Amino acid sequence: MSIDLEISFHTLSKNFRDLLDLQEKYLKNRQKISYLNFGDYNKYILELTRLLHNYLASYSSFVDCMRTSRESFGGPEFEKEFAKQIEEKRIEERTRFIKDLRNFSQHKRLPIVGFRVSIVYLKGNESTKPDQVVKDSPSLRVNDLLEWRGWTSFSKQFLNNQPKELPIMP
């Protein structure tokens, strides 16, 4: 692996880890960082938005670095295997959308992060007072994203096929 690619991958990995760490911190402190405690909640949203921006930028940089570096890795056999891996893992689709989301954040505005809240019933049903778990995850509002006219046709179609909220965490 070239030093450029190694640095780019390290940066991407660290930015992704930072996003996961912030999510874990939020889940552990959910009672303190709640919608009712606006100051802490607002700080969390601002930090999440910053980390999302860093991740999008580093993802785009890594993809560009990978494209320029792969020319020095090998000949036709490498290219064939590389193309196979890209297709099998559907990397091209994710890459296209993430790069477009990065362009949105660079040329329109940083995406507005919200929360997708859902209730999962573990036993019984709603009328029998079941055990339930409230799940919340950071998400982007699809309608807000679709206001931008700079989406590629692929990403616009992708967004149109999403629910109202697009989760941003695994």
Side-chain angles (χ1 to χ4, degrees):
M1 183 182 298
S2 75
I3 189 69
D4 293 339
L5 195 54
E6 187 173 344
I7 290 168
S8 185
F9 183 72
H10 170 77
T11 303
L12 172 63
S13 299
K14 177 72 171 106
N15 285 330
F16 184 67
R17 172 55 41 204
D18 289 348
L19 270 172
L20 293 178
D21 288 348
L22 183 66
Q23 177 69 357
E24 186 176 314
K25 181 180 175 183
Y26 168 76
L27 292 174
K28 285 182 180 176
N29 298 296
R30 186 180 285 157
Q31 299 304 323
K32 293 179 197 171
I33 307 172
S34 71
Y35 309 109
L36 301 175
N37 187 351
F38 187 73
D40 287 342
Y41 177 73
N42 195 39
K43 288 178 190 173
Y44 170 71
I45 292 296
L46 290 173
E47 183 64 2
L48 182 60
T49 303
R50 182 184 74 81
L51 293 175
L52 176 61
H53 177 274
N54 289 350
Y55 174 74
L56 293 172
S58 63
Y59 192 95
S60 183
S61 294
F62 176 72
V63 168
D64 291 344
C65 188
M66 182 67 163
R67 283 192 177 121
T68 58
S69 296
R70 84 176 202 217
E71 295 168 3
S72 63
F73 286 140
E77 285 302 312
F78 174 81
E79 284 295 320
K80 184 178 177 181
E81 181 61 26
F82 184 82
K84 179 182 169 195
Q85 292 295 322
I86 294 284
E87 187 174 324
E88 283 178 7
K89 293 178 174 57
R90 299 180 64 175
I91 292 170
E92 192 63 36
E93 292 174 13
R94 277 185 300 225
T95 298
R96 287 161 69 188
F97 177 72
I98 290 173
K99 285 196 80 155
D100 281 351
L101 185 56
R102 180 228 157 275
N103 287 339
F104 174 91
S105 71
Q106 293 289 309
H107 303 294
K108 173 75 171 165
R109 62 173 161 72
L110 289 173
I112 298 170
V113 177
F115 275 87
R116 180 180 188 181
V117 179
S118 57
I119 298 174
V120 178
Y121 296 102
L122 301 176
K123 296 178 187 173
N125 59 44
E126 197 171 338
S127 63
T128 61
K129 305 285 187 197
D131 293 333
Q132 58 187 358
V133 176
V134 176
K135 291 188 171 190
D136 53 352
S137 60
S139 61
L140 304 175
R141 290 185 203 109
V142 172
N143 285 341
D144 290 346
L145 297 174
L146 285 171
E147 289 176 3
W148 187 46
R149 295 182 182 196
W151 294 107
T152 61
S153 59
F154 173 85
S155 290
K156 190 171 185 176
Q157 180 180 359
F158 172 81
L159 287 168
N160 282 320
N161 290 328
Q162 299 305 308
K164 292 179 183 179
E165 305 284 332
L166 178 65
I168 60 171
M169 300 297 283

